[in-house]
């Protein structure tokens, strides 16, 4: 029996509701994945509505092209979401977007396909690239980075407390034979730190850290958030689903800073909120999956949705 898990779109109804979709609006799904959010957005759009999707994974783009062939309201661009603004301008010119959705999670097909190297439940090459046609696989970095860099990545992007011990062991191991396989690395990490957290593989944090580093995910996110703000029209919504604290911290800080605006000296009269530089309004509180969704899809348990609205 296959252990393959079909992709289940996380916080689907909540994210679409957060966008407050206008039937004739133009929207962006900055991370198409396998299209769950895109299809839900299209279901709320009328004949004049438009949806542009981006993804840097060629397999996701291929899936999106099938949708584009059957729905003239939809278009797909093979690009990371750090190219969100230029992709939107090429698609819509000077017209502003009515909403941008970012789902920052790794899709189940990526995790479950051993050849992509994202997971450690099956053996595969240490790749981890979102776009295998660009940059170098994780194995190249793991076998060339110095011990200090390895430790810094594991700590900064995985919050792994045993980062230095793991880095030291990797350097020792690759002196004997290069690290090339996911289970090879996962076993090495488990051998260093043991079974620390019930229900969580000891390699989880390091695999997350390597993936973030190889794909430049946090820099991509920072760039995409700023570009989303640039293309949103008044009343347009920004909805972001993050899956770990590093991402959520960036999203939370970005939205709060632009909702608070410039911090002016106390007692200085301000005639209009816009004069204080406010560009966003927070919409509701952060949302997490229901117990029912988590039971149905355990991978959703760490998801957090935040929504903000563009001010005039």
């Amino acid at each position: 029996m296959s252990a393959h898990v079909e992709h289940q779109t996380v916080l689907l109804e909540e994210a679409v509701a957060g966008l407050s979709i206008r039937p004739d609006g133009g929207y962006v799904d900055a991370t198409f994945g396998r299209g769950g959010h895109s299809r839900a957005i299209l279901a709320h759009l009328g004949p004049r509505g438009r949806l542009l999707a981006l993804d840097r994974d060629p397999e996701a783009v291929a899936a999106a092209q099938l949708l584009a062939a059957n729905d003239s309201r939809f278009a797909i661009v093979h690009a990371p979401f750090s190219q969100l603004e230029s992709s939107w301008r090429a698609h819509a010119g000077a017209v502003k977007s009515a909403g941008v959705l970012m789902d920052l999670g790794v899709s189940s097909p990526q995790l479950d396909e051993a050849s992509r190297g994202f997971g450690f439940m099956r053996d595969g090459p240490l790749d981890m690239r979102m776009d295998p046609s660009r940059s170098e696989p994780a194995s190249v970095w793991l076998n060339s980075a110095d011990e200090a860099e390895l430790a810094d990545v594991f700590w900064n992007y995985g919050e792994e407390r045993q980062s230095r011990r793991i880095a030291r062991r990797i350097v020792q191991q690759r002196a004997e034979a290069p690290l090339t396989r996911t289970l090879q690395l996962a076993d090495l990490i488990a051998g260093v730190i043991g079974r620390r957290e019930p229900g969580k593989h000891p390699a989880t944090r390091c695999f997350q850290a390597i993936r973030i580093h190889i794909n430049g995910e946090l820099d991509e996110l920072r760039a995409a958030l700023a570009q989303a703000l640039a293309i949103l029209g008044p009343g347009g919504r920004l909805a972001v689903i993050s899956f770990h604290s590093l991402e959520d911290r960036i999203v939370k800080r970005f939205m709060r800073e632009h909702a608070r605006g410039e911090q002016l000296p106390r007692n200085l009269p301000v005639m209009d909120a816009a004069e204080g530089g406010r560009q966003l309004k927070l919409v509701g509180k952060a949302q997490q999956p229901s117990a029912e969704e988590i039971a149905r899809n355990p991978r959703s348990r760490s998801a957090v949705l935040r929504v903000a609205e563009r001010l005039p």
Side-chain angles (χ1 to χ4, degrees):
M1 180 177 176
S2 173
H4 176 74
V5 177
E6 293 297 328
H7 182 68
Q8 297 184 54
T9 306
V10 175
L11 290 166
L12 177 60
E13 295 180 3
E14 294 87 345
V16 172
L19 288 174
S20 189
I21 295 173
R22 304 198 306 262
D24 61 348
Y27 292 84
V28 180
D29 181 351
T31 46
F32 179 81
R34 287 304 181 268
H37 287 121
S38 282
R39 290 182 178 86
I41 292 169
L42 287 167
H44 287 76
L45 291 178
R48 296 176 59 191
R50 294 293 182 269
L51 174 62
L52 174 69
L54 286 72
D55 208 296
R56 57 175 166 172
D57 186 333
E59 294 182 7
V61 172
Q65 287 170 341
L66 296 175
L67 178 58
N70 293 293
D71 195 328
S72 60
R73 303 170 301 166
F74 175 76
I76 178 68
V77 176
H78 182 197
F81 52 50
S82 60
Q83 296 177 21
L84 190 157
E85 184 174 4
S86 60
S87 298
W88 175 258
R89 303 290 185 206
H91 178 74
V95 176
K96 294 288 188 177
S97 173
V100 175
L101 171 64
M102 300 179 192
D103 177 352
L104 307 179
V106 181
S107 70
S108 292
Q110 289 172 326
L111 288 170
D112 294 332
E113 180 55 57
S115 65
R116 300 299 300 273
F118 286 103
F120 40 75
M121 303 309 293
R122 299 178 183 81
D123 192 34
L126 275 167
D127 194 312
M128 299 196 197
R129 291 172 293 176
M130 296 291 187
D131 184 349
S133 69
R134 302 181 184 182
S135 70
E136 295 178 323
S139 58
V140 172
W141 176 74
L142 282 165
N143 288 297
S144 60
D146 63 34
E147 185 176 323
E149 182 182 351
L150 291 167
D152 285 348
V153 167
F154 297 151
W155 171 251
N156 292 328
Y157 297 153
E159 299 176 315
E160 173 51 64
R161 295 191 295 274
Q162 300 295 327
S163 59
R164 295 189 184 280
R165 291 181 60 206
I166 294 168
R168 189 177 308 119
R169 183 70 187 93
I170 287 173
V171 171
Q172 293 169 349
Q173 172 61 40
R174 74 192 192 192
E176 302 172 9
L179 289 161
T180 61
R181 309 293 294 181
T182 55
L183 290 187
Q184 182 187 14
L185 177 61
D187 289 345
L188 179 152
I189 295 168
V192 172
I193 63 178
R195 294 282 175 178
R196 186 174 58 203
E197 299 176 56
K200 190 171 191 176
H201 193 285
T204 299
R205 295 181 188 276
C206 285
F207 268 68
Q208 171 187 293
I210 296 166
R211 192 200 77 224
I212 290 172
H213 175 71
I214 293 299
N215 294 289
E217 292 179 28
L218 301 187
D219 288 338
E220 287 277 326
L221 175 58
R222 293 184 185 96
L225 289 170
Q227 293 175 33
L229 191 60
I231 68 170
L232 280 172
R237 295 283 184 90
L238 171 62
V240 185
I241 302 171
S242 57
F243 285 82
H244 55 76
S245 61
L246 298 176
E247 292 173 339
D248 186 52
R249 199 173 300 144
I250 292 171
V251 175
K252 180 180 179 180
R253 183 176 298 137
F254 178 86
M255 289 184 173
R256 287 190 173 180
E257 286 179 354
H258 288 280
R260 186 174 61 239
E262 182 182 357
Q263 296 303 286
L264 302 174
R266 297 179 70 179
N267 302 320
L268 182 69
V270 178
M271 300 303 293
D272 191 313
E275 293 180 29
R278 293 182 62 216
Q279 295 177 288
L280 291 173
K281 176 180 69 174
L282 302 181
V283 177
K285 297 181 179 179
Q287 298 181 64
Q288 295 177 295
S290 65
E292 291 77 13
E293 179 170 1
I294 293 172
R296 186 172 67 249
N297 179 17
R299 286 176 176 168
S300 71
R301 63 185 177 274
S302 59
V304 179
L305 168 66
R306 297 184 185 274
V307 181
E309 182 177 300
R310 186 71 159 93
L311 293 172

